[in-house]
Amino acid sequence: MPELPEVETVARGVNERIRGERIEAVWLGGKPEPFKTEPAAMAAALTGARIAGVRRVGKHIVFDLEREPGAEASPAPQWVVHLGMTGRLLVVDRDVPRPKHTHAVLSLSSGRELRFVDARRFGRLALHPATAAEGDTDTTEPEESRSAQAGVPGGFRGPGREPLTISVEDFAALFRGRKLAIKAALLNQSLLQGVGNIYADESLFRAGIRPATPAGRIARTRLARLHAALQAVLRAAIELGGSSVSDYVDAAGVRGFFQLEHKVYGREGKPCTVCGAPIRRTILGGRSTHACPHCQR
Ligand SMILES: [Zn+2]
């Protein structure tokens, strides 16, 4: 399943390739699962719109759309793509044969196509209405976190905070008084959006924190270390991904994403890179969890 760095890489790659293009025509497949918005309404909203930009919000890829100058004045909605487990976005010439499991094709003004391909169909495509720019996504979100995100471009916003830009103060405040394990708290998308299993384990190792520790019991200085570790791990992975962007969305659909070398994730029984103790794998909150029993307390 793609995590935040992979989604960021795909969003950047797609943005570089198709920003500024007009959507000339839209084809949507017959399988119902990928469509959170009714397909006919989606096709109508996308057709004729110009792609102003593509960016990541949490684990979603958001297409900011504009109407052509002179067209109706109503603001364009946003197109929101979630890759799910196996979803891919491909930018290819229109004469490249469509692969199996293609669910959506946007024909672009350059003559290329943007294709959404997803074998397992956990990915989702949706329209986010333009009129609902303020505070519509999740009413359970605390007020202070809304105002703290005021600088974020309007429109679609996931339920949680953005791990790459959250301040250390706001990060520490997320866990105050919480009894759930810090690993589970990191994965809770209504707290932080986009952190998945790999980067939760890796950042907890780098911060020296045992994954099962109740989140509310971790001292502020240790949470500051975790904040720094999480952002460093995500940024390093994005940088690695950036070098393979062209492969990730190429015509052949080859996955070129190089993963950060993991220190604990997937290394059960192998020696800790710091102390040599065997990395231990446990199940925490239903998720496979990797940690060094010696370095993490
Ligand atoms: Zn160790």
Side-chain angles (χ1 to χ4, degrees):
M1 157 127 33
E3 291 208 22
L4 185 151
E6 289 87 339
V7 178
E8 173 82 24
T9 300
V10 173
R12 286 182 187 181
V14 172
N15 183 58
E16 280 166 24
R17 281 168 179 75
I18 68 170
R19 185 184 49 225
E21 293 215 38
R22 186 174 176 275
I23 301 167
E24 307 272 355
V26 175
W27 173 90
L28 300 175
K31 299 272 192 271
E33 297 95 326
F35 302 106
K36 271 180 82 178
T37 300
E38 201 262 311
M42 185 182 293
L46 294 175
T47 304
R50 202 181 72 88
I51 298 166
V54 184
R55 59 198 164 88
R56 178 190 60 79
V57 177
K59 282 207 232 183
H60 296 82
I61 298 169
V62 175
F63 290 69
D64 293 313
L65 304 174
E66 292 173 346
R67 301 284 185 211
E68 287 289 290
E72 54 176 306
S74 69
Q78 291 167 306
W79 192 45
V80 181
V81 175
H82 193 284
L83 298 174
M85 306 277 289
T86 54
R88 287 180 297 142
L89 287 169
L90 306 178
V91 179
V92 295
D93 287 328
R94 65 167 61 125
D95 49 5
V96 173
R98 283 182 194 175
K100 240 174 119 173
H101 310 298
T102 298
H103 303 293
V105 177
L106 276 52
S107 300
L108 304 172
S109 42
S110 63
R112 293 177 300 170
E113 291 181 345
L114 174 71
R115 298 172 180 172
F116 177 71
V117 180
D118 187 6
R120 295 189 59 187
R121 298 207 294 272
F122 287 109
R124 294 291 178 264
L125 309 175
L127 287 178
H128 184 76
T131 48
E134 291 308 316
D136 64 308
T137 46
D138 184 355
T139 49
T140 62
E141 190 184 351
E143 202 56 49
E144 77 266 22
S145 98
R146 287 191 177 286
S147 54
Q149 288 190 1
V152 173
F156 178 83
R157 203 160 46 178
R161 300 296 304 274
E162 178 56 54
L164 274 178
T165 52
I166 189 171
S167 70
V168 65
E169 291 76 22
D170 290 352
F171 182 81
L174 288 179
F175 307 113
R176 207 167 287 149
R178 290 191 193 269
K179 293 190 179 116
L180 84 166
I182 184 65
K183 162 85 186 272
L186 286 175
L187 293 181
N188 184 332
Q189 300 294 303
S190 65
L191 296 178
L192 287 170
Q193 53 184 1
V195 179
N197 211 28
I198 296 173
Y199 297 103
D201 281 4
E202 292 294 311
S203 58
L204 285 167
F205 173 76
R206 283 160 173 81
I209 297 172
R210 201 166 47 85
T213 311
R217 286 227 218 109
I218 301 172
R220 171 73 166 64
T221 50
R222 304 185 76 211
L223 286 176
R225 215 181 305 152
L226 178 60
H227 174 264
L230 178 62
Q231 293 195 343
V233 158
L234 291 173
R235 290 215 173 92
I238 289 169
E239 268 173 43
L240 273 180
S243 61
S244 62
V245 155
S246 59
D247 292 334
Y248 200 91
V249 288
D250 75 359
V254 174
R255 261 183 197 272
F257 196 83
F258 298 111
Q259 279 189 318
L260 198 65
E261 201 182 329
H262 303 322
K263 292 192 189 295
V264 287
Y265 187 84
R267 295 193 67 242
E268 181 185 11
K270 298 206 173 108
C272 169
T273 56
V274 173
C275 73
I279 298 299
R280 196 175 288 167
R281 177 175 173 274
T282 54
I283 302 293
L284 188 64
R287 305 296 300 274
S288 164
T289 296
H290 306 76
C292 173
H294 179 74
C295 295
Q296 293 174 254
R297 319 203 148 250

